[in-house]
Amino acid sequence: MTDLVMPPVLLGPLLPTLLVLGAGALVLLLDLSPRPQGKEVLGAVALAGIVGALLATLARWGKSGRAFHDMVVLDNFALFVNVVICYAAALSLLLSVDYVRRSRAESGEYYALVLFTTAGMMLLAAAGDLVVLFLALELMSLSLYVLAGLFTQALASSEASMKYFILGAFASSFMLYGIALTYGATGTTNLDRIAAAVAGRSHDPLFVIGMGLLLVGFGFKTSSVPFHMWVPDVYQGAPTCVTALIATGSKAAAFGALIRVLTVALRGAQPDWTALLWIVAVLTMTVGNVAAIAQSNLKRMLAYSSIAHAGYMLVGLVAGGMSGGGSVLFYLLTYTFTTAGAFGVVTLCERARAEAVEVGDYAGLAERHPVLAAALALFLLSLIGVPPLAGFVGKFYVFGAAVRAGYLWLTVVAVLNSALAAYYYLRVVVYMYMRQPEGAPVTYAPSLAGALALVVALVGIVALGVVPAPFVDLAQAAVAPLVR
Amino acid sequence: MSTVWFIPTLPLAGALVNILLGDRIGRRAHWVAVPTVAGSFLAACAVFTRAWDGGSFTSRLFPWIVAGRFEAWVVAFVDPLTCVMLLVVTGVGALIHLYSVGYMHGDPGYARYFAYLNLFVFSMTMLVIAGDFLLLYVFWEAVGLCSYLLIGFWYTRPAATQAGKKAFIVNRVGDFGFGLGVMWLWTVLGTLEYGAVFKGAETLAPATATGIALLLFMGACGKSAQLPLHTWLPDAMEGPTPVSALIHAATMVTAGVYMVARSHALFERSGTALEVVLWVGTATALFAATVGLVQPDIKRVLAYSTVSQLGYMFAAIGLGAYAAAIFHLVTHAFFKALLFLGAGSVIHGLGGEQDLRKMGGLSSRMMTTTITTTVGGLGLAGVPGLAGFFSKDEILAAAFHSGHLVVWGLLLLGAFLTAFYTSRLLFLAFYSDPRMSREAAHHVHESPSVMTLPLWVLAVLTVVAGLAVGIPSERGTRLARFLEPVFPLHGESPDGSIAYTLLILSVIVVAAGFAVAWFVYLASPVRADTIGRPRTAFGALLLNAYYVDRLYDAIIVRPLFGLATFLAERFDLGGIDRAVNGLGAAVVGWAAATRRLQTGYVVNYALTMLAGAVLVVAFLLSR
């Protein structure tokens, strides 16, 4: 029996996470203060926490840090994912402020939970050990389960929360089982040491089953087919600003962790998981896009669209290497701005005192609210992948990486899928610009913060689309230490 | 920024003003168009003084396309050859702009006309100053576009729109080759800038050089109407006559000559390519001259004459006599523009009549036009002392001295034919008895001075150009010496006595052509119904330009059209559209089906996940 040695406590690499957690605690404290005050203060504190984390992340760029026996690895890769997460959380917060108040669901817990889930996401991207990874995953997920059920009055919201929780727990158990089996096969939960232990014997059945179950867990979080069925129900039922966070932040964190696990711990089994992901990617893209065609609810359609986009990112993972991994990171960035923007427009549109979520609600929007309609049209065009918007460049680099890695057919499927996707995105544009509204018109719920979020997202998709090169270089540099 | 950029930007500004504000400017459009081109000419003169001593310079404006290893700049390259071209384009261009003020007077599309014409001068000058093959290619297409727009300027006439389309399409055939040539160049040399390309040309394998050079020459054949892509130029006469003078005689059609001369390093590397250029040029020179013998339309005679003279220029290039080719290009620009403008003046005076059968006797009514056009005709025929005499003689001498005696013989025969059809044109239009109706004769009038002034200027140029720069000496003509930095002079001047013999021979040939035409068309009164009516099978062959159009129609146009009709009506509608619509319907159906899979029951979802997990593990274990 070896002596337990307490690792030195190095909080530096945890700084961004700690800032977010601290802000969360502060929000809870302020909420308890006896003096009645506007909830906007809480929102501002939460936003300040995220911005602080973003600044801390940017300040640490290039300075790789490891802490707690390599359990936390804050390298450039984690930092890049952190940036994406911070943007996602910030946009979501900006969209929340007025939306939550309008829905009479505003509370101190809301902002605290957003911050906690964000902390979970950031930790997930920096996890260097399967145990930390699981902890971070649960921190992120548990907060999201509660957030999804924020509209306690609405049946759909509670249902979404319940489904998300049950299926999420189910997925977590798969993952935990996978972690246990991997530990059994290799004797360690550290990603680097797993790779070393597996080297040369990647066909050990115990390890293979462990890897499979780990991937099942990730499949759930990244909404890959066939672990995607929760997505439409949850995205539809959850408050839209929470949906935006689930669709962007949690997905970015999950992809970040997945890339790290695949390229570090499971490096030895690359041919195996590549073959698996090839199939999953094709299924995910195709099911997502085809099912999206049949949707009449905008949030549900965007849910399927986010499944399809997960499929495109899996294409980048299959391509592998620096260009593949880098392209996925860059894609996450473009996807976050675009999707958060699209959901943002939904939060701002009301019809008859309720959220406007049916595609038909958007008929004639261009005439009544030309700016809003133009913004949504741009986000949808970016989702299709029309140059010069961010979505195009994201797809360009992912597909380019796949072609260069020799996955021609996969790319063909992906491109055909992108073509298919144009149908349902453009249908919304057609409704906005070429149809006359029926019934009560959609009104715009004025929100300064929401408008700011849309402006940030718009600037993001145009800037990333017009000058992508520096960001792509950063993304590739971030992946470089992992793939070596 | 160098002065050279003023040359294209001035006409561009003029074009933009007339396009955007044409409705308001209307009748005053020439106050915008003419000064911009005149300013362009002054700028060209200024640039010319800089290159006077044979120097050259490069001026980079901005990087245009930078993508990976590929880099293209908007870059100008100016050397003596550029200067000569610039002076011709802007000088003749300015005169023709001035002439158009009278010719197009009262046309409903007055501002549009000048906008296009300015746009053409912009494109053409850019083509000439471009220092990079890609930029050259872009403006090569741009002049083609202007040509198309101006041929079809009177777009309500079906013949004009047809001719515009034909010009564009036939040019595309050549440009396809040109484009391939440019790409090939980049592939083997990794650059498209003139300096680097011509330096790199020496390192090319001769076979590669042949391929590239022939592809480039394909483009030149299209633009300069050489066999077998010549068919568009005679039809292009549907455009306004000043357009024919500027674009289809003096400048644009010589772009091919300029390009090949500019790329002579590539062509010389190949050898075969030069031989091809020589023979295509010679064949075209003779072919077009024979067709020109019998055409009844005054502009078509001139059009075939242009094709023929361009053939002379290419023959000169094929012989390696680049300076002679450029010399002929310059003199041809003067006298052919003059002839076209003279013909335009005749057409103007006759109220739109261009049929030689209905002319005659104009010398008494249109004094200025008669004198100037005659000077132009004599210049074209090669009467001693005039510009065409010197330049054509340079080419003939080059053929003789380089030992290509067959080519020399054919070109000499061409000179005879040229003298004949030119004299025929002059006799039928001006000197024979009037054949128009009494009503038409009554209205004949001399053109206004805004039109006759350019005629006089061009006539003077036709008289002096040869004497000024074209007198042969021990070390070539003055122009050849000016162009020496571009086209190195090689070999010593041939023996004087041979030169005189050749000279006398060509004078005799020209005199013979003149005499035959005099005998046929002037010595006895001409009957209108005998002109343009074939009496022999050979005559019919010539009148129909060897039936080339009908041949192309039968073997290319009709089969293609049939195929296109089949593809559009059967294959596309019945095949592709049905397949696409079917696929769309299938996907929507499939989507509806997947919607049913999404039951909403958590148990179903969990079971799906479980099944998925089993499949994932089974897949991984099976590997």
Side-chain angles (χ1 to χ4, degrees):
Chain A
M1 171 109 194
T2 49
D3 292 326
L4 279 176
V5 181
M6 278 302 288
V9 177
L10 282 173
L11 290 182
L14 275 179
L15 184 64
T17 317
L18 287 178
L19 277 172
V20 174
L21 283 176
L26 188 61
V27 166
L28 283 182
L29 274 178
L30 286 175
D31 197 31
L32 286 178
S33 96
R35 246 183 328 153
Q37 54 192 341
K39 303 285 184 195
E40 293 89 349
V41 179
L42 304 180
V45 171
L47 195 61
I50 299 287
V51 172
L54 180 62
L55 293 178
T57 301
L58 294 176
R60 285 193 66 91
W61 183 262
K63 285 174 283 198
S64 187
R66 286 165 175 261
F68 305 102
H69 271 320
D70 294 350
M71 282 189 146
V72 176
V73 183
L74 197 71
D75 49 7
N76 278 356
F77 177 78
L79 290 169
F80 193 97
V81 180
N82 268 2
V83 171
V84 178
I85 293 168
C86 286
Y87 275 124
L91 290 176
S92 171
L93 277 174
L94 284 173
L95 294 172
S96 313
V97 177
D98 293 291
Y99 175 77
V100 180
R101 189 179 42 221
R102 247 176 29 242
S103 319
R104 296 192 188 73
E106 197 180 36
S107 62
E109 299 96 83
Y110 174 78
Y111 295 110
L113 284 169
V114 168
L115 290 169
F116 291 151
T117 190
T118 308
M121 292 170 194
M122 295 169 86
L123 198 58
L124 189 56
D129 189 292
L130 290 179
V131 173
V132 173
L133 188 142
F134 186 73
L135 276 177
L137 196 70
E138 288 305 290
L139 175 57
M140 171 182 98
S141 304
L142 286 171
S143 313
L144 284 178
Y145 301 152
V146 182
L147 284 171
L150 190 70
F151 292 159
T152 47
Q153 308 297 315
L155 206 59
S157 182
S158 306
E159 183 190 330
S161 172
M162 199 64 198
K163 279 181 180 166
Y164 194 15
F165 172 63
I166 293 176
L167 295 172
F170 195 44
S172 294
S173 60
F174 274 115
M175 177 164 256
L176 200 55
Y177 198 16
I179 293 174
L181 289 178
T182 309
Y183 179 70
T186 60
T188 177
T189 52
N190 179 282
L191 299 184
D192 290 318
R193 267 167 275 161
I194 289 174
V198 168
R201 51 185 201 93
S202 63
H203 283 283
D204 175 9
L206 206 56
F207 169 72
V208 171
I209 298 174
M211 172 169 76
L213 295 180
L214 267 178
L215 292 179
V216 169
F218 275 117
F220 180 85
K221 289 298 167 197
T222 55
S223 66
S224 307
V225 175
F227 314 107
H228 68 289
M229 299 195 99
W230 61 278
V231 174
D233 292 10
V234 172
Y235 279 30
Q236 183 185 0
T240 309
C241 54
V242 176
T243 307
L245 190 58
I246 298 175
T248 57
S250 84
K251 198 167 260 186
F255 262 104
L258 178 60
I259 292 174
R260 192 189 288 280
V261 169
L262 287 178
T263 52
V264 176
L266 304 182
R267 190 183 304 148
Q270 181 159 13
D272 298 322
W273 59 255
T274 302
L276 177 68
L277 290 187
W278 196 101
I279 300 170
V280 175
V282 169
L283 282 177
T284 307
M285 289 186 287
T286 312
V287 170
N289 280 320
V290 169
I293 289 179
Q295 306 307 320
S296 60
N297 181 302
L298 192 58
K299 278 170 81 176
R300 224 174 152 76
M301 186 204 92
L302 286 172
Y304 280 109
S305 132
S306 99
I307 295 174
H309 283 277
Y312 300 139
M313 288 187 254
L314 288 175
V315 171
L317 282 186
V318 171
M322 203 166 101
S323 60
S327 72
V328 176
L329 274 196
F330 180 71
Y331 199 101
L332 278 173
L333 192 61
T334 64
Y335 166 81
T336 295
F337 277 110
T338 314
T339 304
F343 279 116
V345 176
V346 177
T347 65
L348 295 181
C349 288
E350 268 188 343
R351 185 174 186 179
R353 314 301 289 147
E355 220 181 341
V357 286
E358 290 297 316
V359 174
D361 292 342
Y362 289 82
L365 187 70
E367 264 176 50
R368 306 184 59 86
H369 302 291
V371 178
L372 211 56
L376 183 55
L378 280 177
F379 292 127
L380 292 174
L381 289 175
S382 176
L383 283 172
I384 298 175
V386 174
L389 301 173
F392 165 74
V393 192
K395 280 208 180 78
F396 177 80
Y397 282 105
V398 167
F399 297 171
V403 168
R404 247 172 289 140
Y407 294 100
L408 260 183
W409 283 109
L410 183 60
T411 315
V412 169
V413 173
V415 170
L416 286 178
N417 260 293
S418 319
L420 197 61
Y423 172 76
Y424 57 84
Y425 292 125
L426 285 180
R427 200 174 46 162
V428 180
V429 178
V430 167
Y431 266 90
M432 290 194 299
Y433 282 87
M434 299 171 194
R435 295 279 171 88
Q436 289 305 313
E438 289 169 11
V442 167
T443 54
Y444 161 64
S447 161
L448 196 62
L452 180 64
L454 288 194
V455 169
V456 170
L458 275 178
V459 169
I461 65 166
V462 173
L464 286 174
V466 176
V467 266
F471 301 98
V472 174
D473 289 347
L474 283 181
Q476 296 203 339
V479 176
L482 295 191
V483 296
R484 266 171 300 203
Chain B
M1 202 174 95
S2 167
T3 328
V4 72
W5 295 109
F6 282 108
I7 303 171
T9 41
L10 280 172
L12 176 65
L16 288 178
V17 168
N18 269 334
I19 286 171
L20 297 176
L21 306 173
D23 284 348
R24 297 229 199 115
I25 295 175
R27 303 265 146 257
R28 288 161 294 167
H30 56 268
W31 288 112
V32 178
V34 179
T36 54
V37 179
S40 214
F41 175 67
L42 292 179
C45 291
V47 170
F48 178 59
T49 56
R50 280 187 63 182
W52 179 244
D53 52 359
S56 65
F57 64 92
T58 303
S59 169
R60 288 167 180 273
L61 201 58
F62 58 87
W64 175 38
I65 304 174
V66 180
R69 218 157 55 80
F70 181 79
E71 197 173 311
W73 281 70
V74 175
V75 56
F77 177 73
V78 179
D79 66 357
L81 174 60
T82 319
C83 291
V84 170
M85 290 299 292
L86 280 177
L87 287 176
V88 170
V89 172
T90 56
V92 176
L95 289 173
I96 290 174
H97 270 70
L98 188 63
Y99 178 92
S100 300
V101 175
Y103 191 83
M104 298 302 287
H105 179 78
D107 193 279
Y110 196 66
R112 183 166 58 93
Y113 173 83
F114 277 108
Y116 291 166
L117 212 57
N118 266 2
L119 193 66
F120 169 75
V121 176
F122 160 70
S123 308
M124 189 69 201
T125 49
M126 279 301 295
L127 186 156
V128 171
I129 65 175
D132 176 291
F133 272 99
L134 190 67
L135 201 60
L136 171 72
Y137 183 67
V138 169
F139 287 96
W140 184 270
E141 295 294 333
V143 290
L145 171 72
C146 296
S147 160
Y148 162 80
L149 290 172
L150 284 163
I151 294 170
F153 178 74
W154 286 312
Y155 54 84
T156 50
R157 288 190 197 165
T161 54
Q162 285 292 341
K165 273 194 287 185
K166 184 171 177 183
F168 204 87
I169 293 166
V170 174
N171 265 294
R172 289 301 314 156
V173 176
D175 296 350
F176 177 69
F178 189 26
L180 284 181
V182 172
M183 290 179 221
W184 194 350
L185 255 186
W186 188 77
T187 322
V188 293
L189 293 176
T191 177
L192 289 176
E193 289 218 0
Y194 285 166
V197 167
F198 301 139
K199 201 169 288 166
E202 292 158 19
T203 66
L204 291 179
T208 312
T210 305
I212 295 175
L214 287 181
L215 284 171
L216 294 182
F217 182 56
M218 200 170 145
C221 279
K223 193 67 60 191
S224 298
Q226 295 298 289
L227 286 176
L229 299 176
H230 64 286
T231 53
W232 66 272
L233 187 58
D235 285 18
M237 297 301 124
E238 286 296 334
T241 306
V243 169
S244 309
L246 179 60
I247 300 183
H248 304 120
T251 56
M252 186 193 81
V253 290
T254 62
V257 180
Y258 163 75
M259 189 266 288
V260 175
R262 173 63 84 198
S263 324
H264 66 96
L266 276 168
F267 284 78
E268 275 175 1
R269 178 70 192 162
S270 151
T272 317
L274 272 186
E275 202 71 10
V276 171
V277 174
L278 171 64
W279 282 103
V280 168
T282 310
T284 310
L286 209 59
F287 165 90
T290 54
V291 177
L293 297 177
V294 295
Q295 297 303 313
D297 182 308
I298 186 168
K299 284 182 72 181
R300 285 182 92 85
V301 175
L302 291 175
Y304 279 107
S305 157
T306 305
V307 175
S308 167
Q309 296 303 310
L310 289 165
Y312 273 93
M313 297 175 209
F314 278 111
I317 288 178
L319 293 165
Y322 309 114
I326 297 300
F327 183 28
H328 198 54
L329 187 159
V330 174
T331 59
H332 176 257
F334 295 153
F335 58 68
K336 189 55 67 65
L338 173 57
L339 279 168
F340 265 113
L341 295 186
S345 179
V346 167
I347 295 166
H348 192 70
L350 289 173
E353 185 57 68
Q354 23 189 109
D355 194 334
L356 283 170
R357 284 169 288 200
K358 297 179 182 160
M359 294 181 187
L362 296 176
S363 55
S364 56
R365 311 288 286 273
M366 303 176 77
M367 202 56 185
T368 305
T369 305
T370 306
I371 294 171
T372 52
T373 311
T374 304
V375 170
L378 296 180
L380 168 62
V383 168
L386 299 182
F389 168 75
F390 292 101
S391 57
K392 194 180 295 176
D393 209 57
E394 280 285 302
I395 297 173
L396 287 172
F400 188 84
H401 293 307
S402 64
H404 289 88
L405 290 181
V406 180
V407 171
W408 174 77
L410 291 174
L411 292 180
L412 199 63
L413 177 59
F416 167 76
L417 299 173
T418 308
F420 176 83
Y421 68 66
T422 313
S423 320
R424 168 179 176 268
L425 184 149
L426 294 175
F427 293 158
L428 284 179
F430 300 106
Y431 301 104
S432 57
D433 296 328
R435 292 180 300 279
M436 68 282 278
S437 65
R438 187 180 296 272
E439 170 69 16
H442 180 70
H443 288 292
V444 173
H445 60 86
E446 181 56 282
S447 299
S449 52
V450 73
M451 285 167 71
T452 50
L453 179 69
L455 290 177
W456 281 118
V457 175
L458 285 169
V460 170
L461 284 171
T462 303
V463 173
V464 301
L467 296 168
V469 300
I471 298 179
S473 75
E474 292 290 308
R475 297 195 56 249
T477 59
R478 185 183 281 184
L479 185 75
R481 287 197 297 277
F482 176 62
L483 290 172
E484 197 177 345
V486 195
F487 310 124
L489 291 171
H490 37 69
E492 65 284 4
S493 206
D495 185 12
S497 61
I498 297 179
Y500 281 114
T501 316
L502 290 176
L503 214 69
I504 291 165
L505 207 55
S506 82
V507 171
I508 292 172
V509 162
V510 169
F514 194 77
V516 174
W518 182 82
F519 182 72
V520 176
Y521 294 104
L522 210 57
S524 56
V526 198
R527 285 187 37 218
D529 54 355
T530 59
I531 308 169
R533 178 150 314 157
R535 280 177 296 261
T536 61
F538 186 64
L541 189 69
L542 291 186
L543 193 66
N544 289 290
Y546 296 88
Y547 296 106
V548 174
D549 269 329
R550 257 188 244 177
L551 180 72
Y552 286 178
D553 198 53
I555 64 168
I556 300 173
V557 178
R558 276 180 199 288
L560 272 181
F561 195 75
L563 182 66
T565 313
F566 167 77
L567 288 179
E569 288 173 4
R570 305 242 171 259
F571 186 67
D572 194 49
L573 284 182
I576 294 185
D577 275 14
R578 264 179 67 187
V580 169
N581 290 338
L583 192 67
V587 171
V588 170
W590 184 18
T594 58
R595 203 175 174 179
R596 272 195 292 282
L597 278 181
Q598 190 83 23
T599 54
Y601 291 113
V602 177
V603 183
N604 285 357
Y605 294 4
L607 271 176
T608 314
M609 280 176 67
L610 186 62
V614 171
L615 285 175
V616 164
V617 172
F619 176 82
L620 287 174
L621 279 175
S622 73
R623 283 178 64 87

